[in-house]
Structures are given as structure tokens and as C-alpha cells.
Amino acid sequence: MRFEYNFQAWAGRALRAQAGSAAVEFALVVPALLALFAGIVAFGIYLGASHNLKHIASEAARASIAGVSDQERAALARQRVAAALTEGAMFKPGTVMVTVGPNPQDASLFTVTLTFDAKSLGFSGLSGLIPLPPDLIQSTVSVRRGGL
């Protein structure tokens, strides 16, 4: 009995056996890549919201400098926040809580604090897939009181 080995037949079977390996590798890699992409998008939105909130708080604090009394400063700061919220597309008016007034630690400072609930950004559904940043974004800006 003679044993013959057909190399071409063996190579053909080997190639067919590896044909599904790309699909298996794809199935193993895609969930990790999707989680990475979801994390990049979620944190990008969060950091963009944080940056915009800080910018609006800075504008409001600068606007409050023109006021003579604390009430006038507070009104100017609130007006600037309302104007910035209607101009921008990230926050809707009414979703940002505004706190303005003298700084409790230093009477020579006037403080504007904005607080936003990040749940309304829409990525809370990803909580099972990726770790999410805190729900509240808070930005505080203080300016030195001017005038006499």
C-alpha cells in the first residue's frame, strides 16, 4: 500500500479553513473599537459642554463688571447668560442654573456659577458600555469688583 500525499488538495483545504478567520477576528475586535469610539464621542461632547459653560460663565462675569450695585451686577450677568444661551446650540434656555452674587470667601470678588445637568446631553444610555463623567457640570468664575 502506497501513501500519496496531494499537496494541492491540502493547500486548498487549508485556505478554505482560514476563510472564516477574518470574520472571527472582526467579531472580536469590533466591540472594543465601538466602545472606544463611543467613549471618544461621549467625552468629546462632555468636554465641549464644559468648555462652553466656562465660556458663558466668563462672559457673564465680565458683563457684571459694569454694574454699580450687586443687584445690577447680578442682572447684567443673568442677561448675558440668557443671551449666550439663545445664541449657542449646545444648551437650551432653562437648562442651565445660574447663581450670581458676592463671593462668600472674599468680599472683593463677584462670582458667577453655572450648573448644567449633563444627562440631557444624551449619552447616558452608554453607561453600561463605558464609564461616564459626572452628571453635573459646574463652572465658577470670579471677577474683582470695580468702582469706588
Side-chain angles (χ1 to χ4, degrees), residues 82-99:
L85 290 178
T86 57
E87 294 167 2
M90 182 159 271
F91 307 115
K92 294 181 177 98
T95 60
V96 177
M97 188 176 78
V98 182
T99 307

Side-chain angles (χ1 to χ4, degrees), residues 45-127:
I45 291 171
Y46 185 87
L47 291 175
S50 178
H51 176 74
N52 285 346
L53 200 66
K54 182 63 114 177
H55 182 70
I56 293 170
S58 297
E59 286 183 11
R62 282 191 296 273
S64 72
I65 293 173
V68 177
S69 65
D70 284 344
Q71 292 79 17
E72 190 178 2
R73 287 184 182 104
L76 289 170
R78 288 182 193 279
Q79 286 173 1
R80 186 61 211 137
V81 169
L85 290 178
T86 57
E87 294 167 2
M90 182 159 271
F91 307 115
K92 294 181 177 98
T95 60
V96 177
M97 188 176 78
V98 182
T99 307
V100 293
N103 190 319
Q105 285 85 23
D106 187 355
S108 68
L109 296 177
F110 190 78
T111 302
V112 176
T113 302
L114 303 180
T115 306
F116 176 71
D117 186 8
K119 289 180 188 174
S120 64
L121 291 175
F123 55 78
S124 59
L126 299 174
S127 62

